[in-house]
Coordinates of all heavy atoms in Angstrom, one line a residue:
M256 N 13.7 -103.1 65.8 CA 15.0 -102.9 65.3 C 15.7 -104.2 64.9 O 15.5 -105.2 65.6 CB 15.9 -102.1 66.2 CG 15.4 -100.6 66.4 SD 16.5 -99.6 67.3 CE 16.4 -100.3 68.9
K257 N 16.5 -104.1 63.9 CA 17.2 -105.3 63.4 C 18.6 -105.0 63.0 O 18.8 -104.0 62.3 CB 16.3 -105.9 62.2 CG 16.9 -107.1 61.6 CD 15.9 -107.8 60.7 CE 16.1 -107.4 59.3 NZ 15.3 -108.1 58.3
A258 N 19.5 -105.8 63.4 CA 20.9 -105.6 62.9 C 21.3 -106.7 61.9 O 20.8 -107.8 62.0 CB 21.9 -105.6 64.1
G259 N 22.1 -106.3 61.0 CA 22.5 -107.3 60.0 C 23.3 -106.6 58.9 O 23.6 -105.4 58.9
E260 N 23.8 -107.5 57.9 CA 24.6 -106.9 56.8 C 23.6 -106.6 55.7 O 22.8 -107.5 55.3 CB 25.6 -108.0 56.3 CG 26.8 -108.0 57.2 CD 28.0 -108.8 56.6 OE1 27.8 -109.5 55.6 OE2 29.1 -108.7 57.1
F261 N 23.7 -105.4 55.2 CA 22.8 -104.9 54.1 C 23.7 -104.2 53.1 O 24.8 -103.7 53.4 CB 21.8 -103.9 54.6 CG 20.9 -104.5 55.6 CD1 21.1 -104.5 57.0 CD2 19.7 -105.2 55.2 CE1 20.2 -105.0 57.9 CE2 18.8 -105.7 56.1 CZ 19.1 -105.6 57.5
I262 N 23.2 -104.2 51.9 CA 23.8 -103.4 50.8 C 23.4 -101.9 51.0 O 22.1 -101.7 51.1 CB 23.5 -103.8 49.4 CG1 23.9 -105.3 49.2 CG2 24.1 -102.9 48.3 CD1 25.4 -105.5 49.2
V263 N 24.3 -101.0 51.1 CA 24.0 -99.6 51.5 C 24.6 -98.7 50.3 O 25.7 -98.9 49.9 CB 24.6 -99.2 52.8 CG1 24.3 -97.7 53.1 CG2 24.1 -100.1 53.9
L264 N 23.7 -97.8 49.8 CA 24.1 -96.8 48.9 C 24.6 -95.6 49.6 O 23.8 -95.0 50.4 CB 23.0 -96.4 47.9 CG 23.3 -95.3 46.9 CD1 24.5 -95.7 46.0 CD2 22.1 -95.0 46.1
L265 N 25.9 -95.3 49.5 CA 26.4 -94.1 50.3 C 26.6 -93.0 49.3 O 27.1 -93.2 48.2 CB 27.8 -94.5 50.8 CG 27.8 -95.7 51.8 CD1 29.3 -96.2 52.0 CD2 27.1 -95.4 53.1
M266 N 26.3 -91.8 49.8 CA 26.4 -90.5 48.9 C 27.4 -89.6 49.7 O 27.1 -89.1 50.8 CB 25.1 -89.9 48.7 CG 24.1 -90.8 48.0 SD 22.5 -90.0 47.7 CE 22.9 -88.9 46.4
F267 N 28.5 -89.3 49.0 CA 29.5 -88.4 49.5 C 29.4 -87.1 48.7 O 29.5 -87.2 47.5 CB 30.9 -89.0 49.4 CG 31.1 -90.2 50.2 CD1 30.8 -91.5 49.6 CD2 31.6 -90.3 51.5 CE1 31.0 -92.7 50.3 CE2 31.8 -91.4 52.2 CZ 31.5 -92.6 51.6
F268 N 29.4 -86.0 49.3 CA 29.5 -84.7 48.6 C 29.7 -83.6 49.6 O 29.8 -83.8 50.8 CB 28.2 -84.4 47.8 CG 26.9 -84.4 48.5 CD1 26.4 -83.3 49.1 CD2 26.2 -85.6 48.7 CE1 25.2 -83.3 49.8 CE2 25.0 -85.6 49.4 CZ 24.5 -84.5 50.0
G269 N 29.9 -82.3 49.1 CA 30.1 -81.2 49.9 C 31.6 -80.8 49.8 O 32.4 -81.3 49.1
D270 N 31.9 -79.7 50.6 CA 33.2 -79.2 50.7 C 33.6 -79.0 52.2 O 33.1 -78.1 52.8 CB 33.3 -77.9 49.9 CG 34.7 -77.4 49.8 OD1 35.7 -78.2 50.0 OD2 34.9 -76.2 49.6
P271 N 34.4 -79.9 52.8 CA 35.0 -81.0 52.2 C 34.1 -82.2 52.0 O 33.0 -82.2 52.6 CB 36.1 -81.4 53.3 CG 35.4 -81.0 54.6 CD 34.7 -79.7 54.2
V272 N 34.5 -83.0 51.0 CA 33.7 -84.2 50.7 C 33.5 -85.1 51.9 O 34.5 -85.5 52.5 CB 34.2 -84.9 49.5 CG1 33.4 -86.2 49.2 CG2 34.3 -84.1 48.3
G273 N 32.3 -85.4 52.2 CA 32.0 -86.3 53.4 C 30.7 -87.0 53.1 O 29.9 -86.7 52.3
L274 N 30.4 -88.0 54.0 CA 29.2 -88.8 53.9 C 28.0 -88.0 54.3 O 28.0 -87.5 55.4 CB 29.4 -90.1 54.8 CG 28.2 -91.1 54.8 CD1 27.9 -91.6 53.4 CD2 28.4 -92.1 55.8
K275 N 27.1 -87.8 53.4 CA 25.9 -87.0 53.7 C 24.6 -87.8 53.7 O 23.7 -87.5 54.5 CB 25.8 -85.9 52.7 CG 27.0 -85.0 52.5 CD 27.3 -84.2 53.8 CE 28.4 -83.2 53.5 NZ 28.9 -82.6 54.6
E276 N 24.5 -88.8 52.9 CA 23.3 -89.6 52.8 C 23.6 -91.1 52.6 O 24.6 -91.4 52.1 CB 22.4 -89.1 51.6 CG 21.8 -87.7 51.8 CD 20.9 -87.4 50.7 OE1 20.1 -88.3 50.3 OE2 20.8 -86.2 50.3
F277 N 22.7 -91.9 53.1 CA 22.9 -93.4 52.9 C 21.5 -94.1 53.0 O 20.6 -93.6 53.8 CB 23.8 -93.9 54.1 CG 23.6 -93.2 55.4 CD1 22.6 -93.7 56.3 CD2 24.3 -92.1 55.7 CE1 22.4 -93.1 57.5 CE2 24.1 -91.5 57.0 CZ 23.2 -92.0 57.9
T278 N 21.3 -95.1 52.2 CA 20.1 -95.9 52.2 C 20.4 -97.3 52.0 O 21.3 -97.7 51.3 CB 19.1 -95.4 51.1 OG1 19.8 -95.5 49.8 CG2 18.7 -94.0 51.2
V279 N 19.5 -98.2 52.7 CA 19.6 -99.6 52.5 C 19.0 -99.9 51.1 O 17.9 -99.4 50.8 CB 18.9 -100.4 53.6 CG1 18.8 -101.8 53.3 CG2 19.6 -100.1 54.9
R280 N 19.6 -100.8 50.3 CA 19.0 -101.2 49.0 C 18.7 -102.7 49.1 O 19.1 -103.4 50.0 CB 20.1 -100.9 47.9 CG 20.6 -99.5 47.9 CD 19.6 -98.4 48.0 NE 18.8 -98.3 46.8 CZ 18.0 -97.3 46.5 NH1 17.9 -96.3 47.3 NH2 17.3 -97.2 45.4
E281 N 17.9 -103.1 48.2 CA 17.4 -104.5 48.2 C 18.5 -105.5 47.8 O 18.5 -106.6 48.3 CB 16.2 -104.7 47.2 CG 15.0 -103.9 47.6 CD 13.8 -104.1 46.7 OE1 13.9 -105.0 45.8 OE2 12.9 -103.4 46.8
G282 N 19.5 -105.1 47.1 CA 20.6 -106.0 46.7 C 21.6 -105.2 45.9 O 21.4 -104.0 45.6
L283 N 22.7 -105.9 45.6 CA 23.8 -105.2 44.9 C 23.3 -104.7 43.5 O 23.6 -103.5 43.1 CB 25.0 -106.1 44.8 CG 26.2 -105.5 44.1 CD1 26.7 -104.2 44.8 CD2 27.3 -106.5 44.0
S284 N 22.6 -105.5 42.7 CA 22.2 -105.1 41.4 C 21.2 -103.9 41.5 O 21.4 -102.9 40.7 CB 21.5 -106.2 40.6 OG 20.4 -106.6 41.3
E285 N 20.3 -103.8 42.4 CA 19.4 -102.7 42.6 C 20.2 -101.5 43.0 O 19.9 -100.4 42.6 CB 18.4 -103.1 43.6 CG 17.2 -102.1 43.6 CD 17.4 -100.9 44.6 OE1 18.1 -101.1 45.6 OE2 16.8 -99.9 44.3
C286 N 21.2 -101.6 43.9 CA 22.0 -100.5 44.3 C 22.8 -99.9 43.2 O 22.8 -98.7 43.0 CB 23.0 -101.0 45.4 SG 23.9 -99.6 46.2
L287 N 23.5 -100.8 42.4 CA 24.2 -100.3 41.2 C 23.3 -99.6 40.2 O 23.7 -98.6 39.6 CB 25.0 -101.5 40.6 CG 26.1 -102.0 41.5 CD1 26.7 -103.3 40.8 CD2 27.2 -101.0 41.7
S288 N 22.1 -100.1 40.0 CA 21.1 -99.5 39.1 C 20.7 -98.1 39.6 O 20.7 -97.2 38.8 CB 19.9 -100.4 39.0 OG 18.9 -99.8 38.2
A289 N 20.5 -98.0 40.9 CA 20.2 -96.7 41.5 C 21.3 -95.7 41.3 O 21.2 -94.5 41.0 CB 19.8 -96.8 42.9
K290 N 22.5 -96.2 41.5 CA 23.8 -95.4 41.4 C 23.9 -94.9 40.0 O 24.1 -93.7 39.7 CB 25.0 -96.3 41.8 CG 26.3 -95.5 41.6 CD 27.5 -96.5 42.0 CE 28.8 -95.8 41.6 NZ 29.9 -96.7 41.7
R291 N 23.7 -95.8 39.0 CA 23.8 -95.3 37.6 C 22.7 -94.3 37.2 O 23.0 -93.3 36.5 CB 23.7 -96.5 36.6 CG 24.9 -97.4 36.5 CD 24.8 -98.4 35.4 NE 23.7 -99.3 35.6 CZ 23.8 -100.5 36.3 NH1 24.9 -100.8 36.9 NH2 22.7 -101.2 36.4
T292 N 21.5 -94.5 37.7 CA 20.4 -93.6 37.5 C 20.7 -92.2 38.0 O 20.6 -91.2 37.3 CB 19.1 -94.1 38.0 OG1 18.8 -95.4 37.5 CG2 17.9 -93.1 37.8
I293 N 21.2 -92.1 39.3 CA 21.6 -90.9 39.9 C 22.7 -90.2 39.1 O 22.6 -89.0 38.8 CB 22.0 -91.1 41.4 CG1 20.7 -91.5 42.2 CG2 22.6 -89.8 41.9 CD1 21.1 -92.1 43.5
E294 N 23.7 -91.0 38.7 CA 24.8 -90.4 38.0 C 24.4 -89.8 36.6 O 24.8 -88.7 36.2 CB 25.9 -91.5 37.8 CG 26.7 -91.8 39.0 CD 27.6 -92.9 38.9 OE1 27.5 -93.8 38.0 OE2 28.5 -93.0 39.7
R295 N 23.5 -90.5 35.9 CA 22.9 -90.0 34.7 C 22.1 -88.7 34.9 O 22.2 -87.8 34.1 CB 22.0 -91.1 34.0 CG 22.8 -92.1 33.2 CD 21.9 -92.9 32.3 NE 20.9 -93.6 33.1 CZ 21.0 -94.9 33.4 NH1 22.1 -95.6 33.0 NH2 20.1 -95.5 34.1
Q296 N 21.3 -88.7 36.0 CA 20.5 -87.5 36.2 C 21.4 -86.3 36.6 O 21.1 -85.1 36.2 CB 19.5 -87.7 37.3 CG 18.4 -88.6 36.9 CD 17.5 -89.0 38.0 OE1 17.8 -88.8 39.2 NE2 16.4 -89.6 37.7
I297 N 22.5 -86.5 37.3 CA 23.4 -85.4 37.7 C 24.2 -84.9 36.4 O 24.3 -83.7 36.3 CB 24.5 -86.0 38.7 CG1 23.8 -86.4 40.0 CG2 25.5 -84.9 38.9 CD1 23.1 -85.2 40.7
R298 N 24.6 -85.8 35.6 CA 25.3 -85.5 34.3 C 24.4 -84.6 33.4 O 24.8 -83.6 32.9 CB 25.8 -86.7 33.5 CG 27.0 -87.3 33.9 CD 27.5 -88.3 32.9 NE 26.5 -89.0 32.2 CZ 26.2 -90.3 32.4 NH1 26.9 -91.0 33.2 NH2 25.3 -90.9 31.6
G299 N 23.2 -85.1 33.2 CA 22.3 -84.5 32.3 C 22.7 -84.7 30.8 O 23.9 -84.7 30.5
G300 N 21.7 -84.8 30.0 CA 21.9 -84.9 28.6 C 22.9 -86.0 28.2 O 22.8 -87.1 28.8
R301 N 23.8 -85.7 27.2 CA 24.7 -86.7 26.7 C 26.1 -86.6 27.3 O 27.0 -87.3 26.8 CB 24.7 -86.7 25.2 CG 23.4 -87.1 24.6 CD 23.5 -86.9 23.0 NE 22.2 -87.2 22.5 CZ 21.9 -88.3 21.8 NH1 22.8 -89.2 21.7 NH2 20.7 -88.4 21.3
S302 N 26.3 -85.8 28.2 CA 27.6 -85.6 28.8 C 28.1 -86.9 29.4 O 27.3 -87.7 29.9 CB 27.5 -84.5 29.9 OG 28.7 -84.4 30.6
K303 N 29.4 -87.1 29.3 CA 30.0 -88.3 29.8 C 30.4 -88.2 31.3 O 30.6 -89.2 31.9 CB 31.3 -88.7 29.0 CG 31.0 -88.9 27.5 CD 30.3 -90.2 27.4 CE 30.1 -90.5 25.9 NZ 29.0 -91.5 25.6
Q304 N 30.5 -87.0 31.9 CA 30.9 -86.9 33.3 C 30.2 -85.7 33.8 O 29.8 -84.8 33.1 CB 32.4 -86.8 33.4 CG 33.0 -85.7 32.7 CD 34.5 -85.7 32.8 OE1 35.1 -86.5 33.5 NE2 35.2 -84.9 32.0
H305 N 30.1 -85.7 35.2 CA 29.5 -84.6 35.8 C 30.5 -83.7 36.5 O 31.6 -84.2 36.8 CB 28.4 -85.0 36.8 CG 28.9 -85.9 37.9 ND1 29.4 -85.4 39.1 CD2 28.9 -87.2 38.0 CE1 29.8 -86.4 39.8 NE2 29.5 -87.5 39.2
Q306 N 30.2 -82.4 36.8 CA 31.1 -81.5 37.4 C 31.0 -81.3 38.9 O 31.6 -80.5 39.5 CB 31.0 -80.2 36.7 CG 31.3 -80.2 35.2 CD 32.7 -80.8 34.8 OE1 33.6 -80.4 35.5 NE2 32.8 -81.6 33.8
S307 N 30.1 -82.1 39.5 CA 29.8 -81.9 40.9 C 30.8 -82.7 41.8 O 31.6 -83.6 41.3 CB 28.4 -82.4 41.3 OG 28.3 -83.8 41.2
S308 N 30.7 -82.6 43.1 CA 31.6 -83.3 44.0 C 30.9 -84.6 44.5 O 31.5 -85.3 45.3 CB 32.0 -82.4 45.2 OG 30.8 -82.2 46.0
L309 N 29.8 -85.0 43.9 CA 29.1 -86.2 44.3 C 29.9 -87.4 44.0 O 30.3 -87.7 42.9 CB 27.7 -86.2 43.6 CG 26.9 -87.4 43.9 CD1 26.4 -87.4 45.3 CD2 25.7 -87.5 42.9
I310 N 30.0 -88.3 45.0 CA 30.6 -89.7 44.8 C 29.6 -90.6 45.4 O 29.2 -90.5 46.5 CB 31.9 -89.7 45.6 CG1 32.9 -88.7 45.0 CG2 32.5 -91.1 45.4 CD1 34.2 -88.5 45.8
L311 N 29.3 -91.7 44.6 CA 28.3 -92.7 45.1 C 29.1 -94.0 45.2 O 30.0 -94.3 44.5 CB 27.2 -92.9 44.1 CG 26.4 -91.6 43.8 CD1 25.5 -91.8 42.5 CD2 25.5 -91.3 45.0
S312 N 28.7 -94.8 46.2 CA 29.3 -96.1 46.5 C 28.3 -97.1 47.1 O 27.5 -96.7 47.9 CB 30.5 -95.9 47.5 OG 31.1 -97.1 47.8
C313 N 28.3 -98.3 46.5 CA 27.5 -99.4 47.0 C 28.4 -100.3 47.9 O 29.4 -100.7 47.4 CB 26.9 -100.2 45.9 SG 25.7 -99.3 44.9
R314 N 28.1 -100.5 49.1 CA 28.9 -101.3 50.0 C 28.1 -102.2 50.9 O 27.0 -101.9 51.3 CB 29.7 -100.4 50.9 CG 30.7 -99.6 50.2 CD 31.7 -98.9 51.2 NE 32.4 -97.8 50.5 CZ 33.1 -96.9 51.1 NH1 33.1 -96.9 52.4 NH2 33.7 -96.0 50.4
K315 N 28.6 -103.4 51.2 CA 28.0 -104.3 52.1 C 28.4 -103.9 53.5 O 29.6 -103.9 53.8 CB 28.4 -105.7 51.8 CG 27.6 -106.8 52.6 CD 28.0 -108.1 52.1 CE 27.0 -109.2 52.5 NZ 27.4 -110.5 52.0
M316 N 27.5 -103.5 54.4 CA 27.8 -103.0 55.7 C 26.9 -103.6 56.7 O 25.8 -103.9 56.5 CB 27.7 -101.5 55.7 CG 28.5 -100.8 54.6 SD 28.4 -99.0 54.8 CE 29.5 -98.7 56.1
E317 N 27.4 -103.6 58.0 CA 26.7 -104.1 59.1 C 26.0 -102.8 59.7 O 26.7 -101.9 60.2 CB 27.5 -104.8 60.1 CG 26.7 -105.5 61.2 CD 27.5 -106.4 62.0 OE1 28.6 -106.8 61.6 OE2 27.0 -106.7 63.1
V318 N 24.7 -102.8 59.7 CA 24.0 -101.6 60.2 C 22.8 -102.1 61.1 O 22.3 -103.2 61.0 CB 23.4 -100.7 59.1 CG1 24.6 -100.1 58.3 CG2 22.5 -101.5 58.1
L319 N 22.3 -101.2 61.9 CA 21.0 -101.4 62.7 C 20.0 -100.6 62.0 O 20.1 -99.4 61.7 CB 21.3 -100.9 64.1 CG 20.1 -101.0 65.1 CD1 19.8 -102.5 65.3 CD2 20.4 -100.3 66.4
V320 N 18.8 -101.3 61.6 CA 17.7 -100.7 60.9 C 16.4 -100.8 61.6 O 16.3 -101.7 62.5 CB 17.6 -101.3 59.5 CG1 18.8 -101.1 58.6 CG2 17.2 -102.7 59.5
D321 N 15.5 -99.9 61.3 CA 14.1 -99.9 62.0 C 13.3 -100.8 61.1 O 13.7 -101.4 60.1 CB 13.6 -98.5 62.2 CG 13.3 -97.8 60.9 OD1 13.4 -98.4 59.8 OD2 13.0 -96.6 61.0
T322 N 12.0 -100.9 61.4 CA 11.0 -101.8 60.7 C 10.9 -101.3 59.2 O 10.4 -102.1 58.4 CB 9.7 -101.8 61.4 OG1 9.2 -100.5 61.5 CG2 9.8 -102.5 62.7
D323 N 11.1 -100.1 58.9 CA 11.0 -99.6 57.5 C 12.4 -99.6 56.8 O 12.6 -99.0 55.7 CB 10.5 -98.2 57.5 CG 9.0 -98.1 57.9 OD1 8.3 -99.1 57.6 OD2 8.6 -97.2 58.6
Y324 N 13.4 -100.3 57.4 CA 14.7 -100.4 56.8 C 15.4 -99.1 56.7 O 16.3 -98.9 55.8 CB 14.7 -101.2 55.5 CG 14.5 -102.7 55.8 CD1 13.2 -103.1 55.8 CD2 15.5 -103.6 56.1 CE1 12.9 -104.5 56.0 CE2 15.2 -104.9 56.4 CZ 13.9 -105.4 56.4 OH 13.7 -106.7 56.6
R325 N 15.2 -98.1 57.6 CA 15.9 -96.9 57.6 C 17.1 -97.2 58.6 O 16.9 -97.7 59.7 CB 15.1 -95.8 58.2 CG 14.0 -95.4 57.1 CD 13.2 -94.2 57.7 NE 12.5 -94.6 58.9 CZ 11.2 -94.5 59.1 NH1 10.4 -93.9 58.1 NH2 10.6 -94.9 60.2
I326 N 18.3 -96.7 58.2 CA 19.5 -96.9 59.0 C 19.4 -96.1 60.3 O 19.2 -94.9 60.2 CB 20.7 -96.6 58.2 CG1 20.9 -97.6 57.0 CG2 22.0 -96.7 59.1 CD1 22.0 -97.3 56.1
I327 N 19.5 -96.8 61.4 CA 19.6 -96.1 62.7 C 21.0 -95.9 63.2 O 21.4 -94.8 63.7 CB 18.8 -96.9 63.8 CG1 17.3 -97.0 63.4 CG2 19.0 -96.3 65.2 CD1 16.5 -98.0 64.2
E328 N 21.8 -96.9 62.9 CA 23.2 -96.9 63.4 C 24.1 -97.7 62.5 O 23.7 -98.9 62.1 CB 23.2 -97.3 64.8 CG 24.5 -97.4 65.5 CD 24.4 -97.9 66.9 OE1 23.3 -97.9 67.5 OE2 25.5 -98.2 67.5
F329 N 25.3 -97.3 62.3 CA 26.3 -98.2 61.6 C 27.0 -98.9 62.7 O 27.5 -98.4 63.7 CB 27.4 -97.3 60.9 CG 26.8 -96.7 59.6 CD1 26.2 -95.5 59.7 CD2 27.0 -97.3 58.4 CE1 25.7 -94.9 58.5 CE2 26.5 -96.7 57.3 CZ 25.9 -95.5 57.3
V330 N 27.0 -100.3 62.6 CA 27.6 -101.2 63.6 C 29.1 -101.2 63.4 O 29.9 -100.9 64.4 CB 27.0 -102.6 63.6 CG1 27.7 -103.5 64.6 CG2 25.5 -102.5 63.8
K331 N 29.6 -101.5 62.2 CA 31.1 -101.5 61.9 C 31.2 -101.0 60.5 O 30.6 -101.6 59.6 CB 31.6 -103.0 61.9 CG 31.6 -103.6 63.3 CD 32.1 -105.0 63.1 CE 31.6 -106.0 64.1 NZ 31.9 -107.4 63.8
P332 N 32.0 -100.2 60.1 CA 32.8 -99.2 61.0 C 31.8 -98.1 61.4 O 30.7 -98.0 60.9 CB 33.9 -98.6 60.2 CG 33.3 -98.7 58.8 CD 32.4 -99.9 58.7
E333 N 32.3 -97.3 62.3 CA 31.5 -96.2 62.8 C 31.3 -95.2 61.6 O 32.1 -95.1 60.7 CB 32.2 -95.4 63.9 CG 32.3 -96.2 65.2 CD 30.9 -96.6 65.8 OE1 30.0 -95.7 65.8 OE2 30.8 -97.7 66.3
K334 N 30.1 -94.6 61.6 CA 29.7 -93.7 60.5 C 30.8 -92.6 60.2 O 31.1 -92.3 59.1 CB 28.4 -93.0 60.8 CG 28.0 -92.0 59.8 CD 26.7 -91.3 60.3 CE 26.4 -90.0 59.5 NZ 27.2 -88.9 59.9
D335 N 31.4 -92.0 61.3 CA 32.4 -91.0 61.1 C 33.7 -91.5 60.5 O 34.5 -90.7 60.0 CB 32.7 -90.3 62.5 CG 31.5 -89.6 63.0 OD1 30.6 -89.2 62.2 OD2 31.3 -89.4 64.3
N336 N 33.9 -92.8 60.5 CA 35.1 -93.4 60.0 C 34.9 -93.9 58.5 O 35.9 -94.4 58.0 CB 35.6 -94.5 60.9 CG 36.1 -94.0 62.2 OD1 36.5 -92.8 62.3 ND2 35.9 -94.8 63.2
I337 N 33.7 -93.8 58.0 CA 33.5 -94.2 56.6 C 34.1 -93.2 55.7 O 33.9 -92.0 55.7 CB 32.0 -94.3 56.3 CG1 31.4 -95.4 57.2 CG2 31.8 -94.7 54.8 CD1 29.9 -95.5 57.1
R338 N 35.0 -93.6 54.8 CA 35.7 -92.7 53.9 C 35.5 -93.1 52.4 O 35.1 -94.3 52.1 CB 37.2 -92.9 54.1 CG 37.7 -92.6 55.5 CD 37.8 -91.1 55.8 NE 38.2 -90.8 57.1 CZ 37.6 -90.1 58.0 NH1 36.4 -89.6 57.7 NH2 38.1 -89.9 59.2
V339 N 35.7 -92.2 51.6 CA 35.6 -92.4 50.1 C 36.8 -93.3 49.7 O 37.9 -93.1 50.2 CB 35.7 -91.1 49.3 CG1 35.7 -91.4 47.8 CG2 34.6 -90.2 49.7
R340 N 36.6 -94.4 49.0 CA 37.7 -95.2 48.6 C 38.4 -94.7 47.5 O 38.0 -94.0 46.7 CB 37.1 -96.6 48.2 CG 36.6 -97.4 49.4 CD 36.3 -98.8 49.0 NE 35.8 -99.4 50.2 CZ 35.2 -100.6 50.2 NH1 35.1 -101.2 49.1 NH2 34.7 -101.1 51.3

């Protein structure tokens, strides 16, 4: 296990909207690229916006990860206190 600051892609959705998924990304540009790709797939076609409750966010966060860089624990802030900005 390793603790450190990583760029994390956060996915908020549901009713009520809450943090449901999160992954460590290689860097900010890769995170933003993944975010754009997901948003395009959700929109579909040439639509400019999607109608779902999905909110994506790339943030630099301190987390504890395993050897495959899967998040085990959020160090600061606690996972339950992460909010949509």
Side-chain angles (χ1 to χ4, degrees):
M256 290 189 290
K257 177 168 102 173
E260 284 195 345
F261 297 93
I262 300 296
V263 179
L264 176 60
L265 303 169
M266 299 177 78
F267 300 88
F268 55 91
D270 186 23
V272 175
L274 179 62
K275 305 293 186 191
E276 294 187 35
F277 39 86
T278 57
V279 171
R280 308 313 288 194
E281 292 181 14
L283 183 58
S284 63
E285 193 271 335
C286 185
L287 293 172
S288 176
K290 178 182 172 190
R291 283 189 302 273
T292 300
I293 294 166
E294 288 172 339
R295 279 193 297 262
Q296 290 175 347
I297 296 295
R298 277 194 324 252
R301 295 177 183 255
S302 176
K303 298 288 183 200
Q304 58 186 349
H305 60 86
Q306 300 300 320
S307 73
S308 65
L309 178 68
I310 299 169
L311 301 167
S312 178
C313 293
R314 297 188 192 167
K315 188 176 201 177
M316 303 183 77
E317 191 171 340
V318 294
L319 182 64
V320 296
D321 65 9
T322 55
D323 293 323
Y324 289 90
R325 290 182 296 236
I326 297 173
I327 297 171
E328 179 181 344
F329 287 87
V330 178
K331 298 179 208 169
E333 293 298 322
K334 177 184 165 284
D335 295 335
N336 293 330
I337 298 171
R338 303 278 183 241
V339 178
R340 289 187 183 171

